[in-house]
Amino acid sequence: MLTIVYLIAITAEAMSGALAAGRRNMDMFGVALIAFITALGGGTVRDILLGNFPVNWTQHPSYIYLTITAGLSTMLLARFMHRLQKLFLLLDAMGLIAFTIIGCNVAQQLDYSLPVVIMAGIITGVFGGILRDILCDQTPQVLQHELYASVSLMVAVLYLVLQHYGVNEDITLLVSFSSGLIMRLAAIRWNWSLPVFYYAPERW
């Protein structure tokens, strides 16, 4: 199930990257590149930081074809995208959770300590969007708007706690996934966010 959600997620992330590139008037190469980086950037950064070589997508060329095709297809479907906004938000939330759990699993298999496992999950979940926004000359949205990175943190912690207490793996996945999805969708619905730090010397 997690693999299916992962494939859906990288497709949705690739399309969101393509839309961001379109807002910056990029050419076809730029659209394809941003789509690819948005979809697979988080896992790439994770693997590099953890020394997990070869990097995951290099062993699965189908991921390259899928993300680039999704990105370029977005150019043809752009006029309909505003009608699919709610679907995109749902798929993005599912992707965030799937990426987080997969990132935790990778770090666990490499025998890293608990804090590193949690950070690996968060990096996998959010770093594709961060790279997308940096390349598109924007402040990363995942650090500004509704709860996003904090949802990834919560999912990683919940997943590892349930594992620690020996809960069945299927139940652990179901509880972690549904809890994260509910939290993310609630944050979107009611604009939940963390307190914002605003620093302006002239205020003091």
Side-chain angles (χ1 to χ4, degrees), residues 12-24 26 30-32 34-36 38 70-75 132:
E13 291 297 313
M15 296 178 81
S16 78
L19 291 174
R23 294 188 192 100
R24 292 297 180 179
M26 294 188 186
V31 170
I34 298 297
F36 171 79
T38 305
L72 294 177
S73 298
T74 305
M75 297 175 66
R132 173 199 66 211

Side-chain angles (χ1 to χ4, degrees), residues 36-203:
F36 171 79
I37 290 174
T38 305
L40 301 174
T44 301
V45 172
R46 176 205 64 220
D47 286 344
I48 292 172
L49 291 176
L50 298 182
N52 183 37
F53 299 109
V55 172
N56 182 49
W57 58 263
T58 64
Q59 305 306 298
H60 301 278
S62 58
Y63 295 172
I64 304 174
Y65 303 140
L66 177 61
T67 55
I68 290 178
T69 300
L72 294 177
S73 298
T74 305
M75 297 175 66
L76 302 176
L77 301 173
R79 69 181 66 184
F80 307 110
M81 286 299 171
H82 66 282
R83 300 178 186 175
L84 304 174
Q85 185 177 8
K86 291 183 179 179
L87 176 62
F88 263 92
L89 290 173
L90 175 62
L91 294 177
D92 180 72
M94 294 172 64
L96 171 68
I97 299 161
F99 291 161
T100 299
I101 293 173
I102 290 169
C104 288
N105 282 331
V106 170
Q108 283 180 314
Q109 290 168 11
L110 295 172
D111 246 1
Y112 278 99
S113 61
L114 185 63
V116 178
V117 172
I118 293 172
M119 288 306 299
I122 295 171
I123 287 169
T124 310
V126 307
F127 227 90
I130 291 175
L131 292 174
R132 173 199 66 211
D133 292 340
I134 290 173
L135 291 172
C136 292
D137 196 27
Q138 297 175 336
T139 302
Q141 294 180 23
V142 303
L143 306 178
Q144 283 188 302
H145 299 294
E146 307 96 354
L147 297 180
Y148 196 91
S150 47
V151 172
S152 179
L153 172 61
M154 186 276 289
V155 169
V157 171
L158 178 60
Y159 179 72
L160 295 172
V161 166
L162 293 174
Q163 274 193 337
H164 175 75
Y165 285 104
V167 178
N168 176 273
E169 182 65 20
D170 290 337
I171 296 175
T172 296
L173 278 173
L174 180 62
V175 172
S176 302
F177 199 92
S178 57
S179 298
L181 188 61
I182 290 169
M183 186 175 178
R184 175 58 186 152
L185 295 179
I188 295 171
R189 174 65 178 82
W190 289 292
N191 294 315
W192 293 349
S193 61
L194 295 176
V196 173
F197 175 52
Y198 173 66
Y199 176 70
E202 61 273 13
R203 292 176 61 191

